[in-house]
Amino acid sequence: MSEMNEENLITLIDEEGNETLYEILFTFHSEDYDRSYVLLVPQETNDDEEVMVEAYAYTETEDIDDFGELEEIESDEEWDMVEEVLNTYLDDEQMSE
């Protein structure tokens, strides 16, 4: 379950009802898998700490207040593709600093 709070923030609610605020790192669409993906980082992080990036496939909804339906990425091939896109993004970010 997900809700948009601000333009780049999303709240994820786990099975136990705990809410965690995440910042949307970026979204992209894969033509190979014909799916859209979102990469998230916890909103409460320090610049010097290692951050765990969460990745999900998603289907957009018509509701402007709802980010969409998040889906777990289950295949190793999809994970490899998402990791490659993330690594390219991080390399580009480091080059622009």
Side-chain angles (χ1 to χ4, degrees):
M1 179 174 209
S2 62
E3 293 178 11
M4 288 297 284
N5 290 349
E6 293 180 24
E7 189 172 319
N8 285 340
L9 298 178
I10 187 170
T11 301
L12 296 185
I13 304 168
D14 66 16
E15 328 50 67
E16 298 165 2
N18 300 315
E19 295 184 7
T20 306
L21 189 61
Y22 286 86
E23 182 176 345
I24 298 173
L25 193 57
F26 67 94
T27 61
F28 69 97
H29 184 82
S30 168
E31 294 296 326
D32 292 340
Y33 293 94
D34 194 28
R35 293 177 83 179
S36 294
Y37 299 87
V38 60
L39 283 86
L40 310 169
V41 294
Q43 202 246 351
E44 298 292 324
T45 58
N46 298 323
D47 290 336
D48 59 343
E49 74 180 87
E50 190 170 312
V51 176
M52 180 66 140
V53 176
E54 301 264 343
Y56 296 93
Y58 74 93
T59 305
E60 291 186 36
T61 60
E62 299 287 324
D63 185 353
I64 196 152
D65 292 330
D66 187 23
F67 183 77
E69 295 294 319
L70 297 182
E71 303 168 28
E72 297 284 333
I73 300 169
E74 296 180 2
S75 77
D76 290 340
E77 294 81 13
E78 255 183 303
W79 271 117
D80 291 343
M81 178 274 302
V82 169
E83 285 179 10
E84 188 174 313
V85 171
L86 175 60
N87 289 334
T88 301
Y89 171 83
L90 294 175
D91 289 345
D92 289 347
E93 284 293 304
Q94 287 179 348
M95 291 178 67
S96 67
E97 288 181 357

